[in-house]
Amino acid sequence: TEQEGTKSVESMASDGRSGAAKRPREAEPPDEFVCCITQEVMHYPVLLHTDAGRSYERSALEEHLRGHPYVDPLTNQRSRSKLVFTPNR
């Protein structure tokens, strides 16, 4: 039972009030900061020189290019030459 002037934690939560300050929700990172291979925020982004001009996490791109040196990981299009990337900071 609730005493007058005192509310349970459950009732405060249900009416949107609580004694503690609410933490702000963590914002999602912009898509440009997320590697399309790993779906994680990039720590060492590199720019792949293709028509798509997309950045990737270096280790994920290196792994992809070891098995598919002529294939863009985003578009799956083949290139006439090995794909080249540079740091993107």
Side-chain angles (χ1 to χ4, degrees):
T1 65
E2 294 179 2
Q3 296 180 355
E4 190 173 321
T6 305
K7 289 186 122 188
S8 69
V9 172
E10 292 84 12
S11 66
M12 284 190 286
S14 67
D15 69 9
R17 295 182 297 175
S18 70
K22 291 185 178 183
R23 286 191 317 167
R25 290 180 56 191
E26 289 187 29
E28 291 291 319
D31 289 342
E32 296 82 24
F33 291 9
V34 177
C35 175
C36 66
I37 297 173
T38 64
Q39 298 300 308
E40 296 178 3
V41 173
M42 294 179 278
H43 298 284
Y44 191 167
V46 293
L47 178 65
L48 184 61
H49 297 278
T50 64
D51 290 339
R54 182 76 188 203
S55 291
Y56 300 88
E57 177 63 35
R58 181 183 184 123
S59 60
L61 183 59
E62 287 175 333
E63 183 176 330
H64 170 82
L65 294 177
R66 273 195 291 276
H68 312 282
Y70 300 94
V71 179
D72 183 321
L74 182 62
T75 65
N76 285 326
Q77 292 182 346
R78 289 190 57 80
S79 171
R80 292 183 185 171
S81 59
K82 284 188 176 183
L83 297 175
V84 177
F85 62 89
T86 57
N88 184 13
R89 295 215 176 228

